[in-house]
Amino acid sequence: MAPTAAQDEEDDYMTMLIPDDAVPKIETSIQRRARKQREAEQRAHPKTKSELEREAREARDSALSSSILTSNPDNKGARMMAKLGYKTGPLGAGGDPNARTEPISLAMKEDKSGIGHISEAKRKFREEAEALKIDFKKRKVNEEEFQERVRAEQQEKRMEGQLWAAMKIAEKFDEPEESVRKEEKPGSDGETKLRPITSIPVVWRELVRRRNEQDRENLAQRTIRESLPQSRLSLPKDLGEDDDEDDNDAQVFGTVEEEIEEEDPELDQFNALHVGDRLDKVVTYLREKNQYCFWCKYQYPDKEMDGCPGLTEDEHG
């Protein structure tokens, strides 16, 4: 079947014939001699690798900086697109001035990575940056918590020292040290014993309890050092009879009544308070009973305590 005229007009770009209108230039003898002389000089002075790379880079940048459709409209590619209906200017039928002016934009790839590597690298970079950001926030929070905990521990240690100092002042105001620690037994010839610890005000009772424990510990150690050699020399031959050993233990460690103190729930409740609350109670006790300000380090003559800035350390500056 013979092809129709309409089919002849539909050209395929694969079989499209684009005539080359370029007219070959005729080279004169003078031009040919000058060209051969330039070529001979170039062969005599070859360019270095760096010069060749620089020229290639400059040529590439120059070609990429301008559109091939506008800079050289007579090339075969531009003429082929023009024959297919392409026109220079913004793409699209809307006439948007911000539309693309080139169908395909070129981007030179200078590394040896495969296609899609850049997007994968960007994804990994974002993940690492997000992980570092989260780690930095956690580290910052941990540092702030650590600093706050150190400040709280230092403040608590400082208030602990102030508490013991306030308890010692309360003890001196209430009664002399010897009368606190010992009292005479009624009906005895000047024999003394430790007074009941529950008779001491609870605000400084812990001071006396600690002192009594230290005294008993020192006494036990001293008695052990003095009696241990004698105990070794007077050990009975019959190990089944340990009356002497029991007597030595009683002499060293004291009787059960002397060692074991009665329970003191009031003191336990007081010690369960925060060190700041205990310090406030001791300071208030000194003010109410002795008109003494722990922060001013002064005992006022009356209960009004005129001149005292207040109850807390912050109020005293």
Side-chain angles (χ1 to χ4, degrees), residues 13 22 25 71 119 133 146 172 203 246-247 259-260 288 309:
Y13 75 96
K25 295 181 181 181
S71 61
S119 59
K133 186 177 180 181
F146 174 75
K172 291 180 180 178
V203 292
D246 293 340
D247 295 340
E259 281 294 322
I260 300 178
E288 293 178 352

Side-chain angles (χ1 to χ4, degrees), residues 151-198:
R151 283 195 295 267
E153 292 176 355
Q154 292 176 349
Q155 180 66 13
E156 185 174 352
K157 186 176 180 180
R158 178 172 172 271
M159 288 190 296
E160 189 76 26
Q162 293 174 341
L163 174 63
W164 287 104
M167 287 193 295
K168 291 179 181 179
I169 294 174
E171 178 187 17
K172 291 180 180 178
F173 272 116
D174 284 355
E175 47 189 321
E177 183 177 357
E178 290 300 323
S179 62
V180 170
R181 298 182 60 189
K182 297 180 180 180
E183 65 177 4
E184 293 187 1
K185 288 183 178 180
S188 62
D189 298 334
E191 185 179 358
T192 60
K193 68 172 184 178
L194 293 176
R195 64 176 291 182
I197 195 172
T198 54

Side-chain angles (χ1 to χ4, degrees), residues 57-68 102 105-108:
R57 185 168 57 253
E58 292 175 353
R60 183 192 64 188
D61 296 340
S62 176
L64 293 177
S65 62
S66 59
S67 174
I68 192 174
E102 295 184 9
S105 59
L106 299 178
M108 294 299 298

Side-chain angles (χ1 to χ4, degrees), residues 147-249:
Q147 293 175 357
E148 184 65 26
R149 185 170 65 252
V150 170
R151 283 195 295 267
E153 292 176 355
Q154 292 176 349
Q155 180 66 13
E156 185 174 352
K157 186 176 180 180
R158 178 172 172 271
M159 288 190 296
E160 189 76 26
Q162 293 174 341
L163 174 63
W164 287 104
M167 287 193 295
K168 291 179 181 179
I169 294 174
E171 178 187 17
K172 291 180 180 178
F173 272 116
D174 284 355
E175 47 189 321
E177 183 177 357
E178 290 300 323
S179 62
V180 170
R181 298 182 60 189
K182 297 180 180 180
E183 65 177 4
E184 293 187 1
K185 288 183 178 180
S188 62
D189 298 334
E191 185 179 358
T192 60
K193 68 172 184 178
L194 293 176
R195 64 176 291 182
I197 195 172
T198 54
S199 63
I200 300 173
V202 70
V203 292
W204 55 277
R205 190 181 302 170
E206 178 67 16
L207 182 67
V208 179
R209 187 184 69 83
R210 295 272 187 99
R211 186 185 299 136
N212 292 342
E213 290 179 355
Q214 187 64 35
D215 290 346
R216 282 196 296 270
E217 184 178 352
N218 295 338
L219 178 62
Q221 292 178 358
R222 185 172 63 253
T223 306
I224 289 174
R225 287 194 300 268
E226 294 176 355
S227 62
L228 189 57
Q230 296 178 1
S231 302
R232 289 179 178 178
L233 293 175
S234 59
L235 284 176
K237 296 181 180 181
D238 188 1
L239 296 179
E241 298 177 0
D242 53 355
D243 294 337
D244 294 340
E245 185 175 355
D246 293 340
D247 295 340
N248 292 332
D249 292 343

